Amino acid sequence: MTLPRFGRIAAGALLPAVLLLAWQFAASAGIYSAAQLPPPGEVLSALGELLARGELWHHLAISTQRVLIGFAVGSALGLTLGGLVGLSRTANAVLSPTVQAIRAVPSLAWVPLLLLWLGIGETPKIVLVAIGAFFPVYTTVSAALAHIDPHLVEVGRAYGRSGLSLLGTVLFPAATPAILSGLRLGLAQGWLFLVAAELIASSMGLGFLLIDSQNTGRTDVMLLAIILLALIGKLSDTLLGLVPQRVASP
């Protein structure tokens, strides 16, 4: 049985509401001190404080800009290299083992290397987000193209398609659902890598806000930064999730 749209929204809001009530109860009952877990009202006050000082929009804007640029670069590289590996057995044999090994490197391990190579400007932050976005897109695209039905390829060739024409009119359209799923995973991974990226000598951004609040003991601001990262990550995923509907509707 499929729930109506309002029912799905209400069902999705149920767990956050329960968690909010549990948070308020834990804070009010003294299970944790206010320094460890401030009540939701204090976090809301921290939001108002940052808005009043005009800082919040700058943090949101710079973090969003870093993620979008890094995601665009990483996903473009992931589509290109994933397409090559998915379509060529030789490229798969040569490239896949090395790429999969690099994929296992944790995000924080890249920070000192990027600082050494690229300095402390915006470039290393965007590169780190691009690294995070690259691997889900690459993996999904290469796997999707490698498992396309061979009969579909034969039909495309029977109609005179080959090379880039075959790729653009047959292979990529057939793999579109998997590719779009990979893009969503890449965007989510980009937000995950953002905090590590903003450890690189940042003075703005949600990752900086998170680390700075830890250093200054502002747990309310720390929780606010975590909540904002969750909300913006969910919003961007939802917007990107509308793309399959647009693609499928024609």
Side-chain angles (χ1 to χ4, degrees):
M1 179 179 178
T2 303
L3 290 173
R5 183 179 180 84
F6 178 78
R8 292 198 304 270
I9 294 174
L14 179 61
L15 182 56
V18 171
L19 292 175
L20 184 63
L21 290 173
W23 174 10
Q24 178 64 49
F25 172 78
S28 302
I31 299 174
Y32 296 96
S33 68
Q36 294 176 303
L37 185 67
E42 290 189 16
V43 176
L44 192 61
S45 297
L47 173 63
E49 177 186 336
L50 290 174
L51 287 172
R53 295 206 304 257
E55 296 180 11
L56 184 60
W57 299 117
H58 294 293
H59 290 302
L60 291 172
I62 194 66
S63 289
T64 303
Q65 175 182 289
R66 287 166 178 161
V67 169
L68 291 180
I69 296 175
F71 169 69
V73 173
S75 59
L77 292 174
L79 285 169
T80 303
L81 196 60
L84 179 62
V85 169
L87 295 174
S88 169
R89 293 182 180 179
T90 302
N92 187 15
V94 172
L95 297 174
S96 186
T98 302
V99 174
Q100 294 300 333
I102 296 173
R103 182 186 181 187
V105 177
S107 59
L108 288 176
W110 291 103
V111 172
L113 188 62
L114 293 177
L115 279 172
L116 179 64
W117 285 355
L118 303 174
I120 60 174
E122 284 295 297
T123 304
K125 302 174 183 63
I126 291 172
V127 168
L128 187 55
V129 173
I131 290 171
F134 166 81
F135 289 106
V137 177
Y138 160 82
T139 303
T140 307
V141 171
S142 60
L145 291 176
H147 291 89
I148 286 178
D149 187 351
H151 298 295
L152 187 61
V153 180
E154 290 178 8
V155 171
R157 286 176 175 160
Y159 279 90
R161 301 291 193 271
S162 63
L164 292 177
S165 175
L166 181 68
L167 180 66
T169 59
V170 177
L171 299 179
F172 265 115
T176 293
I179 291 172
L180 291 172
S181 296
L183 290 173
R184 292 180 70 177
L185 290 172
L187 181 59
Q189 188 89 330
W191 281 106
L192 292 177
F193 272 58
L194 175 70
V195 175
E198 292 181 338
L199 290 174
I200 306 176
S202 291
S203 58
M204 293 294 293
L206 292 176
F208 162 77
L209 191 65
L210 184 65
I211 302 302
D212 183 64
S213 61
Q214 178 189 15
N215 294 334
T216 57
R218 290 292 306 270
T219 315
D220 52 347
V221 177
M222 186 191 306
L223 287 171
L224 175 63
I226 293 171
I227 293 170
L228 289 173
L229 283 167
L231 291 176
I232 297 175
K234 173 58 180 172
L235 176 62
S236 60
D237 178 73
T238 300
L239 292 176
L240 190 57
L242 297 176
V243 175
Q245 300 176 16
R246 300 292 183 183
V247 171
S249 51

